[in-house]
Amino acid sequence: MTLLKLAYFDCPSGAAGDMILGALVDAGVPFEKLQSELAGLALAGYRLERSEVMKAGFRATKVHVHLDGYEEGPGYFRRLPEPEGQHEHSPAGHRGLGEILGILERSRLTPVVRDMASRVFRRLAEAEARVHGTTPERVQFHDVGAIDAIVDVTGSCIGLHLLGVDAVHFGTLPVGGGFVQGPHGRIPVPAPAVAELLKGFPTLDNGIRRELVTPTGAAILTTLAVGSGAMPAMRVTAVGYGAGTLDLETPNVLRVFLGEAAAAAPTETIVQVETTVDDMSPQLYEPLLERLLESGALDAWLTPVIMKRSRPGVVLTALSEPGRVADLSRLLFEESSTIGVRWTAYQRARLDREMVRLETAHGPVTFKVSRLDGRVITVTPEFEEIRRIARDRGLAVREVLEQARTEGRRLLSSS
């Protein structure tokens, strides 16, 4: 039986990059190995420190990124006085997405870690771009572009890789409240970028009026996780506690549960975006469905319904990744007559799948093949290719489809 290694992040007091990194170290990531792997970034201007701290009576590991020439406080970095004769240099200065991706690309990190960290920063840039009305390439990160955040993101990816984690899950996130002072002045909590990142994921208000989820923490979890909400079934092998910077009435810690589970169809979080209309020309449905799929919808369909006063209507539905909710909602407003869009997050199990091209009696045909634990489950020929073959050879589509499906399964079984 194949076992998968899972990591479930329980976040009763929120999530930040240093809390995630601290929890992984507490759960078993060798600190010296983490330091040596981070050296592959070739970043100067920081020092990594590990310590054991108490948070409201509970022990936790704090991994701290000390920036040269800076003093850190809750939610800020303050420049220390420069020694006489030295020029100012800010390791916490602004960086664009291209510069951060360049650092990762030039690094000596393993490809899987480099890809994970790059995906986190790309997703964060997309969220910041939506907030500020620009493009990801033009976003200038502030504290998120500083060395400490690059280390937190990359270190968390290294930690998951060193622990051999196959799938990441996380629990409901308390978003906090109140206001914080940001680069653009006084902003509400959760920060606008955090609100964008958490679209489609479970959240709650636990009554604490502080910033509980940082952009870095939200980006790491929502990018790398395949599921959110309830803890998946697993045999727990380790528990780690990562400490936050704030001192709260409740323990400001994040827990990670490491465990094993029998391999099954992997689960992931998807969002169902939908709206109901009763005053739209039927001619517009086909181009709308095409636009939804072109814009990242995993699937899209129409469902006839009877609305109030017995008026016939249509439910427009699209499935998407959580990060695509804003784009698809905007598209529905632009391309349909609706004045309201709703969405709901769901968990789904999905078989591993791949596209293969096989030589059949009717010539080369592309098949979508799904597997469970390496065993072939479905073999589906691409229908447009089957229809073209049937038309060109004067055969019935049903006949070509059945022959291709049978031959494809036989070829895959013998390979």
Side-chain angles (χ1 to χ4, degrees):
M1 179 176 61
T2 303
L3 293 178
L4 294 177
K5 191 155 190 179
L6 307 182
Y8 176 75
F9 289 94
D10 177 36
C11 313
S13 298
D18 60 340
M19 297 172 75
I20 294 171
L21 189 54
L24 292 171
V25 169
D26 200 54
V29 173
F31 186 68
E32 293 73 19
K33 180 65 173 175
L34 174 65
Q35 288 178 303
S36 66
E37 291 291 322
L38 281 170
L41 284 170
L43 277 179
Y46 81 95
R47 175 174 56 86
L48 204 63
E49 180 186 33
R50 173 191 57 186
S51 61
E52 188 173 282
V53 300
M54 299 296 292
K55 289 292 181 179
F58 286 84
R59 181 207 63 81
T61 292
K62 173 70 174 172
V63 173
H64 191 80
V65 182
H66 292 282
L67 301 182
D68 294 348
Y70 279 76
E71 175 187 50
E72 182 183 1
Y76 72 86
F77 285 97
R78 181 170 57 215
R79 181 190 294 278
L80 296 174
E82 292 283 346
E84 187 176 350
Q86 289 192 10
H87 297 290
E88 289 189 356
H89 171 67
S90 173
H94 300 184
R95 282 185 168 88
L97 176 63
E99 183 179 354
I100 294 175
L101 295 181
I103 291 171
L104 294 170
E105 186 61 33
R106 294 188 299 270
S107 71
R108 300 189 304 275
L109 298 169
T110 61
V112 63
V113 170
R114 187 186 307 129
D115 175 69
M116 291 165 67
S118 297
R119 287 194 291 117
V120 171
F121 275 108
R122 283 195 182 95
R123 177 165 163 76
L124 184 52
E126 291 171 358
E128 293 282 359
R130 286 194 293 271
V131 168
H132 298 294
T134 184
T135 64
E137 292 73 24
R138 294 176 64 88
V139 166
Q140 284 293 310
F141 293 114
H142 300 279
D143 55 304
V144 175
I147 288 177
D148 66 303
I150 297 175
V151 172
D152 284 343
V153 169
T154 309
S156 297
C157 296
I158 291 171
L160 291 167
H161 181 62
L162 291 176
L163 291 171
V165 172
D166 297 301
V168 173
H169 299 254
F170 68 93
T172 302
L173 287 172
V175 294
F179 293 85
V180 293
Q181 195 68 27
H184 301 282
R186 197 163 180 256
I187 59 175
V189 174
V194 172
E196 286 289 330
L197 289 164
L198 295 183
K199 283 182 178 178
F201 294 95
T203 59
L204 61 84
D205 183 354
N206 62 0
I208 298 177
R209 314 328 284 168
R210 303 291 293 273
E211 183 181 29
L212 301 181
V213 180
T214 67
T216 306
I220 293 171
L221 293 180
T222 61
T223 303
L224 302 182
V226 300
S228 59
M231 182 176 176
M234 63 178 175
R235 184 178 68 85
V236 176
T237 57
V239 181
Y241 291 79
T245 302
L246 299 175
D247 288 320
L248 307 173
E249 293 181 2
T250 57
N252 185 19
V253 297
L254 176 150
R255 299 191 290 185
V256 62
F257 292 85
L258 299 179
E260 296 176 338
T267 61
E268 60 185 354
T269 299
I270 59 169
V271 178
Q272 183 168 299
V273 184
E274 64 181 19
T275 187
T276 308
V277 297
D278 63 358
D279 57 352
M280 184 169 149
S281 169
Q283 294 173 312
L284 299 176
Y285 290 134
E286 182 178 2
L288 173 56
L289 292 177
E290 291 176 353
R291 286 288 309 280
L292 287 169
L293 294 171
E294 291 170 357
S295 299
L298 302 172
D299 200 355
W301 65 87
L302 308 174
T303 306
V305 294
I306 300 299
M307 301 175 63
K308 61 186 177 183
R309 301 187 182 92
S310 299
R311 291 201 304 264
V314 172
V315 178
L316 300 166
T317 306
L319 296 181
S320 78
E321 298 174 348
R324 290 290 180 185
V325 171
D327 295 336
L328 297 184
S329 297
R330 183 180 182 86
L331 182 58
L332 286 171
F333 283 127
E334 292 176 342
E335 297 283 348
S336 77
S337 59
T338 188
I339 59 173
V341 177
R342 56 192 178 272
W343 60 84
T344 307
Y346 290 97
Q347 293 293 109
R348 75 168 181 178
R350 186 171 67 91
L351 292 176
D352 292 329
R353 78 237 359 224
E354 62 177 331
M355 304 301 290
V356 299
R357 195 150 177 84
L358 301 175
E359 191 67 37
T360 73
H362 294 295
V365 174
T366 303
F367 292 82
K368 181 185 291 183
V369 181
S370 64
R371 290 183 169 87
L372 179 62
D373 294 337
R375 179 169 55 91
V376 173
I377 300 297
T378 62
V379 179
T380 306
E382 284 294 287
F383 187 75
E384 289 304 317
E385 294 185 19
I386 295 298
R387 187 163 65 175
R388 175 183 52 78
I389 291 171
R391 182 183 63 245
D392 292 346
R393 302 192 178 192
L395 301 172
V397 175
R398 178 182 57 81
E399 177 185 349
V400 177
L401 180 63
E402 291 177 355
Q403 289 176 351
R405 183 181 286 119
T406 301
E407 192 170 1
R409 182 173 289 278
R410 178 181 60 79
L411 290 170
L412 288 167
S413 299
S414 61
S415 61

